[in-house]
Each structure stands twice: as C-alpha cells, then as structure tokens.
Amino acid sequence: MATTSAFQPNARGYYGEFGGAFIPEMLYPNVEELREQYLTILADPDFQRDYQQLLRDFVGRPTPLFEAKRLSARYGTRIFLKREDLCHTGAHKVNNTVGQILLAQRLGKTRIIAETGAGQHGVATATVCALMGMECIVYMGKTDTERQRPNVERMRLLGAEVRPVTSGSQTLKDATNEAIRDWISNPVDTHYIIGSVVGPHPYPDLVARLQAIISEEIRKQLLEKVGRELPDYVVACVGGGSNAAGAFYHFLDEPSVKLIAVEAAGKGIKSGHSAATSVLGKPGIIHGSRTLLMQDEDGQITEPYSLSAGLDYPGIGPLHAFLGASGRARFISIEDEPALRAVAELSRLEGIIPALETAHALAALDQIGAGPEDIVVLNLSGRGDKDLDTYLKYAEQMH
Ligand SMILES: *Cc1c(COP(=O)(O)O)cnc(C)c1O
C-alpha cells in the first residue's frame, strides 16, 4: 500500500483541507487509543488471517465480477458489475463490520455500539456481534425505527438491543449523538463501529481500508477476464462514501482510471429536497471531521432528502470531499425518478434487482462518456429486496 499517495490521510487524518478529529475532550482517550493501534492491528498477520477467513467463509468473498452484456449493449460500452449485493446481509457494509469486530476484540473490548439510519449498518453490526457473542447496542432515531421496522426486527432477532432516540429530529444525526454519549460513558469496554468513511480520524481511513478488498478483487478479476488490471471507469454511489471508497481505493493512484461518484439529487438539486452534498455542501464540521456538508446560513445542518434511505446523509466522507476538490473524482447527482427507472432497467436486462442506492450509480451510466472500447466497472453495492415496498409504491414511475 503506497504511503506516499496524496489520497492517504496525513498523520492528523487530513486529506488536503478535509478530515481531522474534532471531538469533545471526553472522547479523546477512546479515539486516541484507536488511532494509535489501528494500523498495527490491521497489518498483523493474525488479524489478516481471521479477516480473510471471515470474508471468505462468512461474507462469501470474493464477490463475482460479472460482465453485464445486455446492459453493455444498451449503453454502448463494456460494463462489469462488482456483485457486492451477493455479500451476506445483502450489501458491502458487512466487509467493514467484520473487520471492526476483529479490531474490537484485539483492543480488548466486549461491548459494541453503533448508530444506524435506515438500519442496514445496524443489521450488519448486529450480525457480526451475534457471530462473536458480543453485546450489541444500536442507536436509531425513533422516526427511523418506525420507517424501517423490518430492520429493527432483524436486529432484535440477531440479539441486539435497539435504542430508539427521541431527541432532535429523531433521525441519524441524533442517533449518532447518542452513540457518542454512550461511548464517553463507557470508554474502557466499548468499541463504536461507525458505518461509513465518516467520523473523526482514524475512522475514515479505517473503514476505507476495510472496504478496499473490493478494488483489490476487481484488479485481479479484470486481469483474468480482460488481460488488464485497470478499467477506464469505476462508478459507485455515495452516501457517506464507504462502498465508493472501497471500489476506488486501489485505483486512486492510477490517473488513467476515471473515478465517478454518484450522489442522490432527491427531487432535484434546487428543490430543497436533495442529498447532493458535493454541489450543495460547504466546508464545516460533522461527526468529528471537517468535510463538505449541507448547512444553512447559520451553519446548522439541513435535513437531507433522498427516496433512498442509504443516501440521505447530510455530509460526505473527507476523502470524497478531497477527491472532488482535487478533481480526482467526478461527481454526478441523480434524482429519484431516473434512479427508479434504472432499477427496472437492470432487473429486466440482467435479472438483478439492485438496491435503490446502487440504482443512482446505474442511472449515471449515460452521463460518464464511456465508449465502445472502454471498460466500466460499476460497484453494485446492494440488493433490492429491502426496497421492494418502495418499488411497489412507485411502480408507475418505473415503467
Ligand atoms: C448504506 C448503503 C449505501 C451508502 O453507504 P456508503 O457508505 O456511501 O457506501 C450504498 N448502497 C447500499 C446498498 C447501502 O446499503
């Protein structure tokens, strides 16, 4: 792994002007312990053996790289889908939780906390806690527990305790605040598993490294299939940015590979109902790091909107803020309707029903400018089963 890369954070966790660790003093010992130890633990052969074994036997890796021939014909280019939808629990999120639970064990922790919005990260966390027999507490805004009932039931079935949060807007940011409060009160025995490349240093780098398995596999699989490791384009959707960070990671220092990050424009960039942080966001501090976030004139965080629950986050990870600012990645934003149409299109052309988050990346395919000779890898971050109610409700827009 190149340490000289401009796309690795410096010692204080900065990617250019973004990143860092802006935390209350009471949280300092917890974050500092993690920062001092994470690289050593990740590099330890014993950790690597357990991590690789779980990725293989529990998660089901390597996930296939599938050449989507009918989709390719439709867009006049050669498209490969990286099938993260085939991971255990139906999305890439478990790559991170498997790694963090092994890290937590090596830090001597016995209790796990997490925040969740739509519930997908909560389920991925509850899953690995069950696997390891660890206590699991998931903070979730009360509004979200009502909107995402099946995921609450899944977490409970897996043995986790779901704590509904009734402060503020009763959504993700309030759940995050509550998780941080818990961590301050339980510094010795508790590890906080953050679900994306967000939060104070070292979380963005930790989660990016745990998701980097995606691009590590893509390079090997492309070499086998087409005789070269480098695609011309890598396309991924961005909520906080973890699946995109994993898909981009081993291509960051390969300038010939064009990186395309796709955000949710919701009802439209100018509608006031959007989650397109790279367009609407300004530098500010959210969840302990300096990054781009959607805020009003007083610096108050504004509620993001996307029909897709996994993309309605008001910020993006500091790595992505830097990829955008430095021009290394191109950002595209996609509204709800084209995303819904992309769900139907992939389902019918390839027999794969994607998650609504992933569909935003699919809907960007006609904007990236790929030609017949180009190789495009699209990270299929998750499967669509969880979104079936939404697909039924909007069936008319999808035809
Ligand atoms: C959570 C989720 C996302 C968004 O999270 P990132 O950290 O940006 O990857 C995207 N796709 C699926 C299927 C998800 O569950």
Side-chain angles (χ1 to χ4, degrees), residues 63-388:
T63 58
L65 185 69
F66 172 67
E67 182 163 8
K69 296 218 168 114
R70 280 167 34 88
L71 191 72
S72 297
R74 160 82 176 77
Y75 289 98
T77 186
R78 201 168 170 198
I79 302 168
F80 289 82
L81 302 175
K82 181 59 171 162
R83 298 290 310 275
E84 295 301 294
D85 60 315
L86 295 178
C87 289
H88 179 43
T89 69
H92 66 287
K93 287 194 172 73
V94 72
N95 300 324
N96 169 45
T97 58
V98 157
Q100 284 206 48
I101 199 111
L102 292 171
L103 177 71
Q105 287 179 327
R106 282 155 179 82
L107 290 169
K109 310 291 178 182
T110 54
R111 181 175 176 274
I112 298 294
I113 56 172
E115 87 295 336
T116 197
Q120 297 299 110
H121 172 58
V123 169
T125 303
T127 298
V128 297
C129 288
L131 176 72
M132 297 300 180
M134 301 241 283
E135 186 184 352
C136 181
I137 289 139
V138 179
Y139 290 93
M140 188 171 185
K142 186 160 175 288
T143 309
D144 288 335
T145 61
E146 286 154 10
R147 287 193 290 204
Q148 311 288 342
R149 185 100 224 143
N151 277 339
V152 175
E153 296 310 330
R154 278 186 192 101
M155 287 184 265
R156 291 192 171 138
L157 194 57
L158 290 160
E161 181 191 336
V162 179
R163 291 194 185 159
V165 175
T166 53
S167 56
S169 54
Q170 312 195 356
T171 58
L172 180 63
K173 74 176 159 40
D174 313 291
T176 303
N177 290 339
E178 219 44 55
I180 289 172
R181 221 162 280 155
D182 180 313
W183 206 19
I184 289 172
S185 316
N186 300 283
V188 178
D189 65 344
T190 298
H191 175 67
Y192 178 15
I193 300 191
I194 291 186
S196 191
V197 285
V198 300
H201 180 60
Y203 279 103
D205 186 43
L206 168 63
V207 178
R209 285 168 186 264
L210 293 173
Q211 292 290 359
I213 185 69
I214 299 173
S215 46
E216 190 182 316
E217 289 175 5
I218 292 171
R219 288 186 77 126
K220 283 189 204 137
Q221 290 168 320
L222 263 190
L223 182 62
E224 261 170 38
K225 286 178 198 296
V226 302
R228 59 170 159 121
E229 284 182 47
L230 301 183
D232 299 289
Y233 294 85
V234 180
V235 187
C237 65
V238 173
S242 69
N243 88 86
F248 294 170
Y249 198 88
H250 291 284
F251 302 114
L252 288 169
D253 294 306
E254 306 282 3
S256 71
V257 182
K258 298 179 192 74
L259 306 176
I260 313 284
V262 186
E263 292 182 312
K267 294 181 181 168
I269 299 277
K270 297 196 181 101
S271 69
H273 303 276
S274 172
T277 311
S278 71
V279 186
L280 298 169
K282 295 189 186 62
I285 290 163
I286 181 171
H287 298 164
S289 78
R290 183 170 194 278
T291 187
L292 291 177
L293 66 125
M294 301 193 345
Q295 50 191 315
D296 64 19
E297 279 149 26
D298 301 324
Q300 292 296 316
I301 293 166
T302 50
E303 278 291 321
Y305 166 84
S306 164
L307 188 58
S308 119
L311 298 184
D312 69 349
Y313 181 73
I316 45 172
L319 167 62
H320 294 290
F322 180 63
L323 291 177
S326 63
R328 178 65 190 92
R330 178 181 162 201
F331 280 74
I332 294 177
S333 33
I334 294 290
E335 296 181 12
D336 292 344
E337 278 212 36
L340 285 165
R341 284 197 299 275
V343 170
E345 182 176 85
L346 187 73
S347 303
R348 281 163 206 173
L349 287 177
E350 301 290 350
I352 300 169
I353 302 174
L356 188 48
E357 292 86 354
T358 317
H360 289 72
L362 291 159
L365 280 171
D366 61 359
Q367 292 184 38
I368 65 176
E373 304 303 316
D374 287 328
I375 289 177
V376 177
V377 174
L378 186 141
N379 198 37
L380 207 80
S381 58
R383 67 176 182 227
D385 304 47
K386 69 179 176 61
D387 297 314
L388 215 59

